[in-house]
Amino acid sequence: MDWLITTIKTGLAVAVATTFDDNIYLTGFFSEVNRTFRPKHIVVGELIGLTALVIVSLIGFVLRLAIDSVWIGLLGILPILIGINNLINLNKDDSAEDRSANLKINAKYRGFDSRKRSLWDVIRDRQTYSVSAVTISNGGNNLGIYIPLFANSNIQSLAVIIPICYLIVCCWLFMSYNLTRQPGIAVVLSRYASKIFPFVLMWLGFRILLDSKSYRLFFPNI
């Protein structure tokens, strides 16, 4: 059971650190719903985008079958570099404020009567894939974390980590939908959480290096 608790902790850290900023653009999407662009488009589009990122990241798991895990573990350097880069650019991102202004402008569009659409209709609607495109384009950090993590995980761990990622994204969807009623909260969340998550990313990177024993390539006597 120890491995399960450890895996759950890792899964939560990974999911929150890589998808937290999703709630910013999701809140923007939810604030722009109208008679043809419904919340269902956003939910389905986000989940399709996440699935695409997970599928690409599973390449790392396949690579571990052909390459020694010690070498694959070096990919743990990526989360560390991403975390450092986020720290350096911490005060340079004004997107939260810009999105807040956009939320206030578009908040009046909430409340349109729902137009019933089947799931199949939503999947075929290109508006759904406009959300997926944003999710994928915003997924650079996800790939930088998922690929090395998946490469250093076994099937049991992946069976825990991947569902946790989907669960956390569903939480952001629920939160973002409700944040459209109070747009200013999104700015507060992004402003303070952004100061914490670079350290979470670096912790994940160091954990990957330690678990895979890749550090021994540099310090063989340890």
Side-chain angles (χ1 to χ4, degrees):
M1 291 299 292
D2 288 342
W3 74 268
L4 180 59
I5 295 174
T6 300
T7 303
I8 290 175
K9 289 180 179 178
T10 301
L12 288 172
V14 168
V16 173
T18 57
T19 64
F20 180 83
D21 58 341
D22 289 17
N23 78 81
I24 303 300
Y25 69 77
L26 288 174
T27 304
F29 277 126
F30 279 121
S31 72
E32 296 172 355
V33 298
N34 52 43
R35 291 186 185 277
T36 58
F37 183 59
R38 306 304 304 156
K40 189 181 292 186
H41 289 93
I42 302 167
V43 173
V44 175
E46 173 71 3
L47 294 178
I48 289 176
L50 176 62
T51 300
L53 292 173
V54 168
I55 290 173
V56 171
S57 299
L58 285 172
I59 294 173
F61 180 74
V62 175
L63 286 177
R64 72 188 293 267
L65 301 177
I67 303 175
D68 194 304
S69 61
V70 172
W71 292 99
I72 293 179
L74 291 176
L75 291 172
I77 295 173
L78 289 176
I80 297 174
L81 294 178
I82 293 172
I84 293 174
N85 182 66
N86 287 351
L87 275 179
I88 294 173
N89 297 294
L90 196 59
N91 298 318
K92 296 181 181 180
D93 186 8
D94 296 323
S95 60
E97 286 75 7
D98 295 339
R99 292 182 184 277
S100 176
N102 183 59
L103 289 175
K104 292 175 182 178
I105 293 173
N106 293 301
K108 62 182 180 179
Y109 292 110
R110 293 192 77 257
F112 276 101
D113 292 334
S114 177
R115 176 181 170 185
K116 292 184 177 180
R117 303 284 297 275
S118 69
L119 179 59
W120 178 240
D121 287 338
V122 171
I123 291 175
R124 292 188 300 169
D125 195 327
R126 64 181 182 180
Q127 292 185 99
T128 300
Y129 296 94
S130 66
V131 179
S132 299
V134 173
T135 303
I136 294 171
S137 64
N138 192 54
N141 283 1
N142 300 57
L143 294 177
I145 306 299
Y146 292 165
I147 290 175
L149 179 66
F150 289 5
N152 289 279
S153 301
N154 53 37
I155 294 178
Q156 283 182 316
S157 297
L158 290 179
V160 175
I161 293 172
I162 292 177
I164 288 177
C165 290
Y166 279 93
L167 175 62
I168 294 299
V169 166
C170 288
C171 290
W172 295 148
L173 285 164
F174 176 79
M175 180 185 295
S176 297
Y177 177 77
N178 287 281
L179 280 176
T180 54
R181 299 178 182 179
Q182 300 178 5
I185 294 179
V187 177
V188 174
L189 287 173
S190 62
R191 180 176 299 163
Y192 291 102
S194 62
K195 301 180 186 299
I196 299 173
F197 288 116
F199 296 100
V200 176
L201 292 175
M202 288 187 281
W203 172 79
L204 289 169
F206 282 117
R207 180 177 180 82
I208 290 170
L209 289 172
L210 291 173
D211 289 348
S212 64
K213 295 181 172 52
S214 296
Y215 64 88
R216 292 183 176 175
L217 294 172
F218 305 100
F219 307 100
N221 296 324
I222 297 179

